[in-house]
Amino acid sequence: MNAGFGPGGGGKIPPGLTNGVRALATGAAGIGILVTLYNNGLYNVDGGHRAVIFNKISGVREHVYGEGTHLRIPYIDTPIIYDVRAKPRIIQSLTGSRDLQMVQISLRVLSRPDSNQLPTIYRTLGMDWDERVLPSIVQEVLKSVVAQFNASQLITQREQVSRLISRNLEDRARDFNIILDDVSITHLAFGKEYTAAVEAKQVAQQEAERGRFLVEKAIQDKKSTIIRAQGEAQSAQLIGDAMKTNPGFVQLRRIEAAREIARTMAKSNNRVFLNSGSLQLDLGEVVAEDMGSVIAPE
């Protein structure tokens, strides 16, 4: 007796086995559908990001999705993830000042997209919104603002220039739904010709200041010499008047000179042997002269 199944065996597949195969196939299909739904029906939005949905039937939806896990229609909805955190960008520009001096400026811009306007940004600018907009509007604003100031004013009024650039740039970026959190000038340089002219001017100013100092010093020296000469002339006149009116004044001066010489010799470590006349120490003659002048009238 042939117990085989199929045409050769003359038997039939048991109904229980057929139902088991069908159940297994149905379960596998269900698992596949669940995996497909999980992979294509869910998407995650990380911290600091926002998402917009592009529907292949209706286009870009106006709703902006925040952080977390969200549902979508598989193969119909495509999530577009935007980073809405502020990103720094340094943009350089070579422009001219009001006095036709070339100025090299580096501007640091901290920018981010307006999260409420992400559908519009996606329609008009796409994902690379900063690359499309910032370089052009920064160049435009820098050239228009720098042209209002002279080269020297860009240095002395740097804070005012920075505020004007920031205000104009924020207004310009708002037209593209871009928010600027900070705008600052990081570098400001001039051409070689202007730098050389500034250095030459500083050297000339220093030389002029030195010349004025020398003139003032000469005037003060002249005044000092005149005052000293006037003082010496007045002193000589007073001495002459004193010698005329009082002959003893000369003797008093001789005594004072002798006292000073004696004090100097006393402090010296050397021994000096000189006559009293050479050192003006012959005070006996002074006494004799004074006595003679007293006795003579009698």
Side-chain angles (χ1 to χ4, degrees):
M1 180 176 178
N2 189 0
F5 297 102
K12 296 181 179 180
I13 299 175
L17 181 59
T18 302
N19 294 335
V21 172
R22 288 177 180 176
L24 181 61
T26 303
I31 293 175
I33 292 173
L34 291 176
V35 172
T36 302
L37 289 175
Y38 178 79
N39 291 334
N40 298 283
L42 299 176
Y43 66 94
N44 294 323
V45 179
D46 297 331
H49 294 71
R50 297 292 184 273
V52 295
I53 293 296
F54 174 74
N55 187 278
K56 294 182 179 179
I57 299 175
S58 60
V60 180
R61 296 179 183 175
E62 294 298 328
H63 184 70
V64 178
Y65 297 87
E67 303 167 1
T69 301
H70 305 276
L71 295 173
R72 64 168 176 167
I73 302 175
Y75 308 109
I76 300 297
D77 291 340
T78 302
I80 311 298
I81 309 297
Y82 275 91
D83 185 354
V84 296
R85 294 172 295 186
K87 295 185 296 184
R89 184 186 182 96
I90 295 180
I91 301 175
Q92 297 182 348
S93 175
L94 181 63
T95 182
S97 62
R98 189 170 64 182
D99 53 354
L100 304 181
Q101 297 294 334
M102 299 308 297
V103 185
Q104 180 73 36
I105 298 181
S106 296
L107 198 67
R108 180 182 180 272
V109 180
L110 199 62
S111 62
R112 58 186 173 89
D114 187 353
S115 58
N116 296 323
Q117 300 297 328
L118 288 180
T120 303
I121 293 176
Y122 181 70
R123 291 191 190 98
T124 57
L125 301 176
M127 297 295 294
D128 56 344
W129 52 270
D130 54 342
E131 187 66 32
R132 289 172 179 264
V133 174
L134 289 181
S136 58
I137 64 175
V138 168
Q139 295 286 343
E140 175 189 354
V141 171
L142 281 178
K143 292 182 183 300
S144 63
V145 172
V146 172
Q148 302 176 23
F149 297 87
N150 293 329
S152 59
Q153 292 175 335
L154 293 175
I155 299 176
T156 58
Q157 302 178 18
R158 180 167 179 166
E159 183 177 356
Q160 179 181 351
V161 174
S162 180
R163 285 200 304 267
L164 186 58
I165 292 174
S166 177
R167 184 174 65 250
N168 293 353
L169 194 56
E170 288 175 1
D171 294 340
R172 193 74 177 88
R174 198 174 295 114
D175 297 336
F176 299 93
N177 299 309
I178 297 174
I179 299 174
L180 302 183
D181 293 330
D182 181 68
V183 177
S184 58
I185 299 175
T186 59
H187 181 68
L188 183 64
F190 299 93
K192 295 181 179 180
E193 296 79 5
Y194 181 78
T195 303
V198 171
E199 293 177 354
K201 181 179 179 180
Q202 292 177 346
V203 172
Q205 289 177 345
Q206 293 176 357
E207 291 294 335
E209 291 292 336
R210 184 172 180 273
R212 282 194 292 268
F213 171 76
L214 293 177
V215 171
E216 291 292 335
K217 184 175 182 297
I219 293 175
Q220 295 298 328
D221 291 343
K222 180 179 179 181
K223 291 181 179 179
S224 177
T225 303
I226 293 174
I227 293 174
R228 188 183 303 109
Q230 292 175 348
E232 292 177 354
Q234 187 175 4
S235 175
Q237 183 177 359
L238 293 175
I239 293 174
D241 294 341
M243 292 176 63
K244 292 178 181 179
T245 57
N246 187 6
F249 177 77
V250 177
Q251 304 300 334
L252 178 61
R253 283 302 181 91
R254 290 182 61 185
I255 294 173
E256 291 176 352
R259 184 186 298 116
E260 184 66 25
I261 294 173
R263 185 181 299 111
T264 303
M265 293 178 61
K267 294 179 181 179
S268 176
N269 295 326
N270 300 324
R271 294 181 178 273
V272 180
F273 297 94
L274 296 173
N275 57 34
S276 59
S278 5
L279 295 177
Q280 299 183 4
L281 293 176
D282 192 5
L283 299 180
E285 297 180 359
V286 175
V287 175
E289 291 177 359
D290 291 341
M291 292 181 64
S293 60
V294 173
I295 297 173
E298 294 179 356

